């Protein structure tokens, strides 16, 4: 790797519960790619850093914070969507710009949201643009959705709103990819879709508070099994397996993950003792 990447905790909902995997978002020139982190050093996500070079010297501890901590290891092995640290402790830093966006994302007011429908060579997201917009934003009368729930929970102070970008239809944009999604790895398709979105819109994080990607049916996890939805802690990206994009339970869970609200009270992963 030639530059740092931002550590992101990926939380996936499956038929057997949830799975947490550390990843790293790496930006090379125009596009970003999210790698699965392997070969993590002992203690991750809390790493002891030695002061000096003698065994009896005291240690500093760093807590890896999703969406804020950056890691850099020029010797890391990168292949097949994985970034392998081979047990080494990388150089840590902080992504100040993402930290600022994280604070703004949690602030009161309207949160601009882009929903994405995907058209692949062998399948398309089952719901139409209008159906997705209705399921997420209540555009055509659906009264129970992520927009209405967060509006109610915040007493109208935190509002999930469809982007007003003229390239979208009521906050939904359809992206075409020249790829087969049946039995394709969901992370690979995610990266392809994100690249297409960057090609069309430019930097996503600077324009949208949330990007909700509704993949066509057929993609699978790393172990060949099915999945419901996933999101990254303290990020703007959430991804849904076809009709799961329409379910308010999945919408609430993944946007909550983006906001760092889920798993409250779990043993330390962030400064609030919250894994997300």
């Amino acid at each position: 790797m030639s530059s740092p990447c931002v550590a992101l905790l990926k939380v996936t909902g499956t038929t057997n519960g949830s799975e947490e995997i550390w990843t790293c978002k790496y930006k090379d020139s125009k596009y970003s790619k999210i790698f699965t982190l392997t070969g993590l050093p002992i203690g991750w996500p809390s790493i002891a850093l030695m002061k000096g070079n003698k065994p009896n010297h005291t240690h500093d501890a760093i807590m890896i914070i999703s969406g804020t901590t950056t890691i850099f290891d020029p010797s890391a092995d990168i292949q097949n969507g994985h970034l392998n640290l081979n047990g080494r402790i990388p150089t840590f830093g902080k992504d100040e710009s993402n930290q600022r966006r994280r604070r703004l994302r949690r602030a009161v007011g309207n949160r601009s949201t882009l929903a994405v429908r995907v058209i692949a060579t062998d399948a398309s997201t089952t719901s139409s643009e209008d159906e997705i917009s209705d399921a997420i934003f209540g555009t055509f009368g659906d009264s129970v959705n992520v927009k209405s729930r967060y509006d109610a929970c915040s007493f109208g102070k935190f509002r999930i709103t469809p982007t007003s970008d003229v390239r979208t239809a009521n906050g939904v944009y359809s992206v075409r990819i020249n790829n087969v999604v049946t039995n394709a790895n969901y992370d690979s398709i995610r990266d392809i879709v994100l690249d297409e979105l960057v090609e069309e819109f430019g930097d996503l994080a600077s324009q949208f508070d949330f990007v909700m990607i509704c993949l066509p049916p057929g993609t699978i996890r790393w172990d060949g099994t099915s999945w419901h939805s996933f999101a990254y802690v303290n990020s703007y990206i959430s991804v849904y397996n076809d009709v799961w994009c329409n379910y308010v339970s999945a919408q609430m869970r993944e946007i909550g993950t983006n906001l760092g609200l889920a798993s409250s009270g779990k043993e330390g992963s962030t400064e609030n003792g919250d894994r997300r």
Side-chain angles (χ1 to χ4, degrees):
M1 63 190 299
S2 58
S3 60
C5 60
V6 180
L8 289 173
L9 182 60
K10 174 186 176 185
V11 185
T12 304
T14 72
T15 54
N16 297 317
S18 64
E19 173 190 65
E20 297 184 355
I21 294 178
W22 279 96
T23 67
C24 215
K25 191 169 185 284
Y26 179 75
K27 188 170 185 179
D28 185 4
S29 183
K30 184 177 181 179
Y31 302 106
S32 295
K33 186 173 179 62
I34 302 175
F35 293 99
T36 298
L37 287 174
T38 59
L40 298 176
I42 295 173
W44 186 285
S46 178
I47 306 296
L49 303 176
M50 183 178 293
K51 289 182 177 179
N53 56 6
K54 295 182 179 180
N56 61 345
H57 279 187
T58 59
H59 293 69
D60 278 340
I62 183 169
M63 188 70 71
I64 312 301
I65 301 175
S66 180
T68 297
T69 303
T70 63
I71 66 173
F72 177 64
D73 182 356
S75 300
D77 297 325
I78 300 178
Q79 56 181 332
N80 299 322
H82 291 75
L83 194 157
N84 189 351
L85 296 176
N86 291 303
R88 293 184 300 270
I89 296 178
T91 300
F92 295 107
K94 183 180 292 186
D95 186 337
E96 299 288 354
S97 62
N98 193 62
Q99 194 172 32
R100 286 192 297 272
R101 286 194 294 267
R102 172 187 171 189
R103 287 194 292 266
L104 289 172
R105 196 178 295 122
R106 291 181 172 185
V108 297
N110 295 333
R111 300 276 70 87
S112 177
T113 303
L114 172 68
V116 182
R117 183 174 184 266
V118 180
I119 303 169
T121 56
D122 62 329
S124 301
T125 307
T126 300
S127 298
S128 66
E129 290 181 348
D130 284 350
E131 289 170 332
I132 292 172
S133 183
D134 193 32
I136 294 176
F137 307 115
T139 308
F140 302 101
D142 188 331
S143 61
V144 181
N145 49 67
V146 68
K147 179 179 182 292
S148 67
R149 294 300 86 198
Y150 271 102
D151 185 67
C153 290
S154 67
F155 298 98
K157 294 182 179 180
F158 186 89
R159 296 179 294 275
I160 305 290
T161 59
T163 175
S164 59
D165 193 294
V166 296
R167 288 166 289 189
T168 69
N170 297 308
V172 183
Y173 178 77
S174 289
V175 61
R176 292 182 178 272
I177 60 173
N178 295 318
N179 301 84
V180 172
V181 296
T182 303
N183 293 325
N185 180 274
Y186 64 169
D187 286 332
S188 298
I189 300 301
R190 170 212 60 206
D191 280 343
I192 292 168
V193 171
L194 286 172
D195 283 351
E196 291 295 331
L197 292 175
V198 169
E199 192 68 39
E200 177 64 32
F201 293 96
D203 182 61
L204 301 175
S206 64
Q207 300 179 68
F208 310 111
D209 295 295
F210 303 106
V211 175
M212 303 172 69
I213 301 173
C214 311
L215 294 185
T219 60
I220 56 176
R221 296 170 64 228
W222 57 273
D223 59 358
T225 60
S226 186
W227 58 287
H228 299 161
S229 55
F230 66 84
Y232 299 92
V233 177
N234 300 326
S235 177
Y236 61 94
I237 301 169
S238 60
V239 186
Y240 305 80
N241 190 356
D242 197 38
V243 294
W244 281 90
C245 204
N246 298 1
Y247 299 158
V248 66
S249 59
Q251 297 167 8
M252 292 291 289
R253 180 178 64 240
E254 306 316 342
I255 295 300
T257 296
N258 285 160
L259 292 169
L261 300 179
S263 297
S264 182
K266 282 192 176 182
E267 249 346 274
S269 284
T270 73
E271 67 271 29
N272 298 319
D274 188 339
R275 218 177 261 271
R276 305 185 189 183

